[in-house]
Amino acid sequence: MECIDNHLLYTIKTRRSIRKYTDEPLPENALRHILLAGMYSPSSRNRRPWEFILVNDPDMLKKMSGCRVGSAKMLEHAKAAIVVIGNPEVSDVWIEDCSVVMYGMHLMADYLGVGSCWIQCRLRQAEDGSSTKEYLRHLLHFPENFEVEAILSLGMPEQHPQAPDITEELLPKLHHNKY
């Protein structure tokens, strides 16, 4: 299968999860565009069951780094984080809708040269033994009827690893007309 390297496909192909950030501040315009990418994301029946909590307070980011056993430490050095929460009362597919939002923001961050990492929160445990959801609800005070899907950590990347070329490895996963 021929792969055309247009800008979007190139970003999808080369995007990497970045867990180490420099001390450089996030460009305000980049943060705005990352948030807009999330807000413009499609959702089932256009219900948009998600809301975002933007966190850029260093003390709060440090506290949030304990929200996942071994998987959120990069928040200590992040310049910002976007917590994506969803309301199951608005849509029964809030998980999928919130995931689309996360992916859109993840791609936009990479496109703009901002490092990002998806920190899964739903069905995960915090370092203190509580659920990630309850840990974050205690810190961020989001309403009881909301569930937390994920956090996107953001910062200027210390490095951007080279993406492996996996095109040939993925071809067996493509089936035509039937399995």
Side-chain angles (χ1 to χ4, degrees), residues 25-178:
L26 277 178
E28 194 63 38
N29 202 35
L31 184 56
R32 181 176 178 274
H33 280 89
I34 293 165
L35 288 163
L36 285 172
M39 287 187 231
Y40 289 137
S41 294
S43 66
S44 176
R45 296 175 290 179
N46 206 29
R47 293 236 172 127
R48 295 186 173 101
W50 38 256
E51 294 192 21
F52 309 147
I53 304 170
L54 173 63
V55 179
N56 58 7
D57 174 66
D59 292 332
M60 182 59 80
L61 289 166
K62 186 170 182 141
K63 290 175 187 172
M64 287 173 55
S65 73
C67 75
R68 274 282 310 277
V69 174
S71 298
K73 288 300 177 195
M74 79 285 289
L75 288 170
E76 288 183 4
H77 302 290
K79 295 300 177 193
I82 302 168
V83 181
V84 177
I85 58 175
N87 187 340
E89 297 169 7
V90 172
S91 175
D92 63 340
V93 292
W94 69 271
I95 295 168
E96 291 85 348
D97 288 345
C98 288
S99 295
V100 170
V101 164
M102 285 290 296
Y103 188 58
M105 292 190 303
H106 214 8
L107 286 177
M108 181 58 77
D110 191 83
Y111 179 77
L112 297 171
V114 175
S116 64
C117 189
W118 180 320
I119 303 165
Q120 182 62 31
C121 296
R122 190 177 55 79
L123 304 176
R124 298 299 185 261
Q125 186 175 19
E127 290 180 343
D128 69 1
S130 67
S131 72
T132 296
K133 173 177 72 174
E134 291 310 316
Y135 184 94
L136 289 171
R137 190 183 319 275
H138 174 75
L139 289 177
L140 303 173
H141 307 287
F142 55 89
E144 286 291 325
N145 59 319
F146 277 84
E147 299 288 332
V148 62
E149 173 61 18
I151 301 169
L152 190 67
S153 68
L154 298 165
M156 298 312 291
E158 190 174 285
Q159 64 176 356
H160 192 286
Q162 190 78 6
D165 188 359
I166 56 172
T167 306
E168 293 302 317
E169 291 174 37
L170 296 177
L171 288 177
K173 293 185 173 285
L174 176 62
H175 309 279
H176 293 272
N177 298 320
K178 61 182 179 179

